[in-house]
Amino acid sequence: MPVILVLLALVFLFLIVMLAKTVRIVPQARAGIVERFGKYKQTLPAGLNVVVPFVDKVRYLIDLREQVVSFPPQPVITEDNLVVSIDTVIYFQVTDPIAATYEIANYIQAIEQLTMTTLRNIVGGMDLEETLTSRDQINSGLRGVLDEATGKWGIRVNRVELKGIDPPPSIKDSMEKQMRADREKRAVILTAEGQRQAAILTAEGSKQSSILNAEGARESQILRAQADRESSILRAQGEGQAIQTVFQAIHDGNPDQSLLAYQYLQMMPKIAEGGANKLWIVPSEIGKALEGLGSTMSNLQGIPQQVEGPKTRVDMGSTDTPALDSADSELSKTTAAVEAAIKEAEIAANPGKGRAADLPAGDEPETGAEPPAQ
């Protein structure tokens, strides 16, 4: 009984081993290389596959996805004999698993060595400045050479990138100094241009300000001159109207010698006004003025003693002026005041005649009054 159980266990174990050797599961995007007695037999696709146990063997499992390999920095000499370190990144994909297995022993190492040699060949024909600024050109050259060389290996190079190009520390220091000097130069140039523009704008502003100030002064002088002109015209017109009014009033009032003597006496106190007047001279005509005021014994030269009727009104012409209503009102008041003054002068010169004229009709002066002196 125990022997039978052992045999059954051995048979069961053998069946399990046979099943494991017969059935092969290949993951997605993988390819299995099957060898029979050390010779290539077939390529297993992704999924469940059946092989002959103990005869067929899955030697390699190839990844068909795109792969990324980063290579360490490699020293490269440029055309101007400067050593730079360049590290690269390769994007490739296996397109033929059989060729990638049997045409090359280690395709990743082969790609790395081919990349380094091609990179030295391309960069060796460029100087440092061109190397630092021609990444696309280097990438295109690398990709073309690698794609051509790896085609027979069943590999397609999709993209080549340069991760970094590092020049020597001394070159870095020199480049930094050069860039710093260049930036300082540009800063000085920009500062100078800014100062130049500021000076130009300031000069233009001063010019415009001077022009505007001159125009303002000119307009101010013109307006001031116009105002002075209009003021002088109005003042002259006012003086002319005043003189015309007084002259006309004198002609309308028929003045005689007594009125002129009375006006002469009224001006005498004004002559004596002022604290600085210590001595003033009495004119020689004052006697004649007093004689004309008190009696008619003597006459002033040029003034008739008797006036026959009112004189003919003197036509002074048009006195229309562009004065305002207030100016006309003041002129009317002035005319009334002049007429009142003339009337008072006539009354003072002829007291009896003035009182008789002021009495109403039918009234007679008191008897015994002496007639005024003529």
Side-chain angles (χ1 to χ4, degrees), residues 128-260:
L128 179 61
E129 187 70 23
E130 189 177 0
T131 302
L132 295 175
T133 58
S134 303
R135 289 175 176 263
D136 292 339
Q137 182 179 353
I138 296 174
N139 293 338
S140 300
L142 277 175
R143 183 175 178 276
V145 174
L146 292 175
D147 196 17
E148 181 181 358
T150 58
K152 61 181 180 179
W153 300 340
I155 297 173
R156 182 177 71 248
V157 177
N158 297 326
R159 191 176 182 86
V160 179
E161 293 292 341
L162 301 181
K163 289 178 62 177
I165 301 176
D166 298 327
S170 60
I171 301 301
K172 285 185 178 180
D173 188 28
S174 300
M175 292 174 62
E176 290 178 358
K177 291 181 180 179
Q178 182 180 0
M179 289 185 294
R180 189 181 304 111
D182 190 17
R183 287 194 296 267
E184 291 177 355
K185 174 184 175 182
R186 290 198 298 268
V188 171
I189 292 174
L190 292 177
T191 302
E193 289 181 354
Q195 293 176 354
R196 174 175 171 271
Q197 293 294 331
I200 291 174
L201 293 177
T202 302
E204 290 180 354
S206 300
K207 174 184 175 182
Q208 294 295 330
S209 176
S210 300
I211 293 173
L212 293 177
N213 290 333
E215 291 180 353
R218 185 190 67 178
E219 294 179 0
S220 176
Q221 292 178 358
I222 291 174
L223 293 177
R224 191 179 297 109
Q226 291 179 352
D228 294 340
R229 173 177 172 272
E230 293 178 0
S231 176
S232 300
I233 292 174
L234 292 177
R235 190 180 299 109
Q237 290 177 352
E239 292 177 357
Q241 290 180 1
I243 294 172
Q244 182 181 6
T245 302
V246 173
F247 185 78
Q248 193 67 56
I250 292 173
H251 277 269
D252 291 344
N254 293 323
D256 56 4
Q257 182 178 359
S258 299
L259 176 59
L260 295 179

Side-chain angles (χ1 to χ4, degrees), residues 26 29-35 40 42-46 59-65 67 93-105 107 150-156:
V26 179
R30 302 290 197 280
I33 302 299
V34 178
E35 293 181 352
Y40 171 76
Q42 62 178 350
T43 301
L44 299 180
R59 177 66 64 179
Y60 301 102
L61 194 62
I62 306 299
D63 193 348
L64 301 179
R65 296 173 298 178
Q67 302 180 46
Q93 184 178 11
V94 177
T95 57
D96 188 357
I98 300 173
T101 303
Y102 298 105
E103 295 294 336
I104 187 71
Y107 56 82
T150 58
K152 61 181 180 179
W153 300 340
I155 297 173
R156 182 177 71 248

